[in-house]
Amino acid sequence: ERSGPAAEFEETWTLPTGQTFRVSANPHPDGALAFLIEDITSETHLTRNVRAEMETSQAVLNQLDQAIAVFAPNGELVLTNAAFSQLWTLEGEESLGAVTLPEALANWREAGDDPALWTRIAALGRPGAGDGSPVFGTMRLADGESLSVEARRTTTGALMIAFATREEPAQTSPRAQVLRASA
């Protein structure tokens, strides 16, 4: 006779009809088993649809020439595109959340020549601060390249920062600036 957590059982069954069931069994006193069969078809379809929408959104973002970074209202980096990854290398942990808005702004302030631009963007990044108008500016890098910078709040309260090359860089290979995350 098996008892306790080791005897518990849970499995997901996908039927050829497209229905999905979660089947679980739990032991009861006197050796009985209680089976629970839940129809999770709609939950499974919703999850698949959300995943497909996210993959489509990422694929669209990756087609843009602008380098885009999105920070959640709590300041965590939650989304970037391929152009961003080519322009800025995330240093430290591999996950996006390892970089925060204050860290990113400090790195960009250091890499550019206009500290006031990053102060205005930091103010825009504070929830409820200011009128929420987008911030525009130019970031000149040490190698002479100029990037146009645009920061705006989304309807969800996230902060989107976009970088676009203002002039072609002199070198032919893509260069990656380093965006450091604190350990």
Side-chain angles (χ1 to χ4, degrees):
E1 176 179 293
R2 295 177 0 173
S3 63
E8 293 176 4
F9 163 85
E10 184 175 304
E11 205 170 88
T12 302
W13 294 351
T14 302
L15 304 180
T17 60
Q19 288 181 293
T20 306
F21 292 96
R22 180 181 302 131
V23 180
S24 57
N26 291 303
H28 277 259
D30 300 325
L33 276 177
F35 283 93
L36 176 63
I37 301 173
E38 302 170 85
D39 184 350
I40 59 169
T41 304
S42 60
E43 179 183 320
T44 303
H45 286 297
L46 179 63
T47 301
R48 287 179 186 151
N49 289 342
V50 167
R51 188 178 306 122
E53 286 178 18
M54 288 173 56
E55 289 171 357
T56 300
S57 296
Q58 185 68 54
V60 168
L61 280 175
N62 286 342
Q63 296 300 311
L64 300 177
D65 292 333
Q66 284 185 310
I68 296 175
V70 179
F71 294 86
N74 68 1
E76 285 186 358
L77 180 61
V78 292
L79 180 67
T80 62
N81 67 349
F84 181 87
S85 298
Q86 289 175 347
L87 182 62
W88 304 104
T89 301
L90 299 176
E91 184 180 275
E93 294 183 39
E94 293 298 315
S95 68
L96 291 174
V99 176
T100 66
L101 180 60
E103 293 166 343
L105 293 177
N107 280 282
W108 290 324
R109 184 177 290 116
E110 202 176 290
D113 68 343
D114 184 3
L117 170 64
W118 303 107
T119 301
R120 294 192 327 266
I121 292 174
L124 180 63
R126 286 191 287 279
D131 62 0
S133 296
V135 173
F136 299 93
T138 300
M139 178 182 195
R140 285 179 191 78
L141 302 173
D143 66 1
E145 183 177 6
S146 289
L147 302 172
S148 63
V149 179
E150 176 184 345
R152 59 178 64 234
R153 290 193 80 60
T154 67
T155 55
T156 61
L159 180 67
M160 181 187 86
I161 303 175
F163 300 87
T165 304
R166 293 179 56 95
E167 56 195 21
E168 290 299 315
Q171 56 201 36
T172 55
S173 63
R175 141 195 91 49
Q177 299 292 322
V178 177
L179 181 58
R180 297 183 241 7
S182 64

